[in-house]
Amino acid sequence: MSIVGSGAASGGAQLLPEVLAFSSSLPLDRQLLREDVVGSMAHLIMLSRQGIVPREAAALIRAELVKAYAATDLPDEEDVHMAVETLLTRALGESAGMLHTARSRNDQIALDLRLHVREQCALALEEMALLLRELADRADRERDTLLPGYTHRQRAQPVSAAYYLCAWGAMFQRDLRKLHPPSDLPLGVGALAGTSLPIDRELVKKLLHFGSITANGLDTVGDRDFALDLAYAAARILIQSSRVATDVIDFSTAEFGYLRLDDEIAMGSSMMPQKRNPDLFELIRGKCGRAVGNLTALLVTMKGLPGGYNRDLQEDRQPLLETGPLIISVVRMLRLGLSRIRFDGERGRAALADGATAATDIAEALAQTGIPFRTAYKLTGALVRKCTEAGVPLSKAPLELAQQIDPRFTAAILGAADAVASVARKQNAGGTGPASIDAQIQFLRERAHQAESLARHTPRLGRIFEELKVAAL
Ligand code: ARG
């Protein structure tokens, strides 16, 4: 794109066209058009009510802003702010220039980006709530599906598929805390120092549904903490997604075999006709790199910047604008993908059948008879070794064999090696037992509800636009 530019903000007609093109952010921040227009409408209403801009002029400017909100073709300018200003100037001439009274692009972009982040937080919270509900509902249906739980990628202890699903939910519900919509209004601090004109920031705050106003303009124009917060939330959510994806990918292999991908999500190979590849989950895992990269890019952009606004900040655009849609698409795809996996309970039980994963249960059963756990652990270890030597699975350990090790072994203690009984016996909070699963499912539903309610209470751009279209000038 060749940027012509009105020269109004970029230093006039003398600027080298190549330099103007290099410095333009319009290709990216045209995505902020709606935010920019809504911010301008609130600012304009305030200027009019304060008597800084005559009401008739304000009405004409607002009518053009309303048209600009839906503009598809923006003039080639340095950034979205100048593009909107050029649209207004084309329609209204000089009087369009009243809008930029008591405002700088520094506080304007700080506002646009906050409005963008707020909107993306609301959308992301809605998706997260759907994911949590899917996990809770699915857990409810997979209570009796058993499989080994893993540590070090080695079979460790029997758990239910519901427990896995609740674990995934537990990860994502933690990230909800990180999705907090920005609530402080930056507009009104001007370039950095405020303005000598009698503006009313409290009014703009109300019109745009912010909860507070920023305290210091020098800080406000250089602050991108709200962007870092969203980028960090994204990195967290995508890292969780990548970990869930790896469990799904591994468990769908012939080697594990605990689940199968439905035809709707399994992808083929162009050469190997038998393949059912988990590309969807691999892509979810792969996208994580972008989220971490975007967070890193933002952190590095901020590092060492002097106080106030610096043009480096414009480099926030690519990582930040990518972040919201990335969270939303990955969380949505993960939900769709997880709703189309089928657990294979038989394979899960087969993996548990030898009883090896219930060795801890045997040791605990011994400990319950009053034997110190460390002793019980050693006795069970000896039993595992003897069974291995004798070629019998732990679940079939003969009582005589066990009693050769220690006469305190009983049939009931050896019965603890049964996987179903093992899961049922985990009665503590946070474990894989049925009562704990009930509580975990309930917890995920509550967290989903909280996310929905936070999303619902987050002010949305479209609604504010409708309000400002008719607000008194
Ligand atoms: N396009 C600029 C940005 O995105 C807007 C602020 C420009 N301010 C300035 N003093 N040149 O950061």
Side-chain angles (χ1 to χ4, degrees):
M1 182 175 74
S2 96
I3 313 289
V4 187
S6 59
S10 51
Q14 311 90 299
L15 195 70
L16 277 176
E18 300 94 304
V19 172
L20 183 56
F22 179 73
S23 61
S24 172
S25 56
L26 188 61
L28 286 172
D29 61 25
R30 59 172 66 246
Q31 289 174 56
L32 296 169
L33 174 65
R34 295 186 331 132
E35 286 82 351
D36 198 69
V37 167
V38 165
S40 286
M41 287 167 81
H43 183 64
L44 177 74
I45 292 166
M46 181 278 291
L47 292 175
S48 167
R49 291 202 203 162
Q50 292 297 103
I52 300 169
V53 168
R55 189 174 298 140
E56 306 70 44
L60 294 173
I61 296 173
R62 178 162 66 182
E64 291 307 319
L65 282 171
V66 169
K67 288 185 208 159
Y69 184 82
T72 46
D73 209 16
L74 290 180
D76 286 346
E77 282 288 350
E78 184 184 316
D79 55 32
V80 68
H81 325 299
M82 297 316 300
V84 172
E85 186 167 318
T86 299
L87 279 181
L88 300 185
T89 307
R90 279 184 196 160
L92 302 171
E94 195 189 357
S95 66
M98 288 181 183
L99 174 62
H100 210 57
T101 313
R103 187 174 72 173
S104 155
R105 286 182 298 158
N106 298 355
D107 57 346
Q108 199 176 348
I109 187 64
L111 172 64
D112 293 4
L113 294 174
R114 275 178 169 78
L115 290 172
H116 168 80
V117 168
R118 189 166 73 175
E119 190 82 1
Q120 295 302 313
C121 278
L123 295 169
L125 284 164
E126 284 171 0
E127 282 301 334
M128 291 286 278
L130 291 173
L131 174 63
L132 292 177
R133 284 203 187 284
E134 169 65 27
L135 289 168
D137 291 351
R138 190 62 189 277
D140 214 359
R141 301 197 302 271
E142 303 287 356
R143 290 162 185 272
D144 300 328
T145 311
L146 302 189
L147 72 165
Y150 284 76
T151 62
H152 313 268
R153 229 13 160 197
Q154 309 284 322
R155 291 176 188 173
Q157 290 190 287
V159 298
S160 64
Y163 194 51
Y164 260 101
L165 292 155
C166 286
W168 297 340
M171 292 155 84
F172 288 110
Q173 66 77 28
R174 239 183 349 257
D175 298 330
L176 293 178
R177 269 177 245 143
K178 300 290 158 207
L179 283 171
H180 37 79
S183 65
D184 50 347
L185 169 82
L187 201 67
V189 301
L192 77 162
T195 171
S196 50
L197 293 157
I199 62 165
D200 181 355
R201 295 187 70 200
E202 286 295 330
L203 172 58
V204 180
K205 176 193 92 175
K206 284 197 204 99
L207 291 171
L208 292 173
H209 297 263
F210 280 104
S212 54
I213 58 177
T214 59
N216 177 297
L218 189 59
D219 165 50
T220 302
V221 294
D223 166 31
R224 294 294 181 269
D225 285 354
F226 59 93
L228 289 173
D229 287 347
L230 183 69
Y232 177 65
R236 283 262 303 257
I237 293 168
L238 269 74
I239 283 173
Q240 323 284 31
S241 304
S242 75
R243 297 186 57 206
V244 172
T246 292
D247 273 339
V248 172
I249 292 164
D250 286 0
F251 291 176
S252 71
T253 60
E255 284 73 10
F256 287 78
Y258 305 139
L259 56 85
R260 230 180 114 74
L261 309 175
D262 278 359
D263 291 344
E264 284 175 293
I265 55 164
M267 302 199 196
S269 149
S270 62
M271 184 170 174
M272 300 169 284
Q274 87 284 11
K275 288 303 283 286
R276 295 175 58 79
N277 289 330
D279 299 37
L280 175 63
F281 290 97
E282 290 170 304
L283 284 167
I284 287 170
R285 185 169 63 184
K287 301 263 182 204
C288 180
R290 291 188 190 222
V292 175
N294 289 336
L295 172 61
T296 309
L298 282 174
L299 285 166
V300 176
T301 299
M302 296 307 294
K303 182 190 173 294
L305 284 186
Y309 176 85
N310 298 276
R311 192 66 179 268
D312 317 43
L313 288 172
Q314 188 172 289
E315 289 301 312
D316 65 25
R317 229 44 47 83
Q318 182 275 327
L320 180 58
L321 292 178
E322 193 182 66
T323 292
L326 190 58
I327 301 178
I328 292 156
S329 65
V330 166
V331 172
R332 184 175 295 162
M333 285 304 122
L334 188 62
R335 172 170 56 85
L336 290 182
L338 290 175
S339 70
R340 286 164 178 79
I341 60 174
R342 239 170 270 194
F343 286 96
D344 184 340
E346 305 228 325
R347 282 292 296 260
R349 278 180 200 233
L352 299 168
D354 66 5
T357 52
T360 312
D361 292 271
I362 294 182
E364 286 182 351
L366 278 173
Q368 273 190 331
T369 67
I371 301 175
F373 179 77
R374 191 47 71 214
T375 310
Y377 170 92
K378 284 184 187 144
L379 295 176
T380 310
L383 179 64
V384 169
R385 277 189 299 280
K386 268 204 180 297
C387 284
T388 310
E389 282 160 24
V392 277
L394 189 62
S395 56
K396 302 234 159 52
L399 186 57
E400 314 81 74
L401 191 75
Q403 288 183 336
Q404 282 167 20
I405 300 167
D406 194 292
R408 289 171 290 182
F409 274 111
T410 63
I413 287 170
L414 294 182
D418 176 66
V420 176
S422 159
V423 169
R425 263 196 315 273
K426 302 295 180 321
Q427 283 167 7
N428 66 295
T432 188
S436 168
I437 293 293
D438 284 346
Q440 294 180 44
I441 290 173
Q442 171 70 13
F443 173 62
L444 293 183
R445 292 193 169 132
E446 277 160 25
R447 295 292 283 151
H449 179 75
Q450 287 163 8
E452 281 155 6
S453 132
L454 183 53
R456 212 176 22 254
H457 290 105
T458 300
R460 301 296 285 270
L461 212 50
R463 215 190 68 217
I464 298 177
F465 173 68
E466 295 303 327
E467 288 172 7
L468 298 184
K469 245 159 75 172
V470 295
L473 287 166

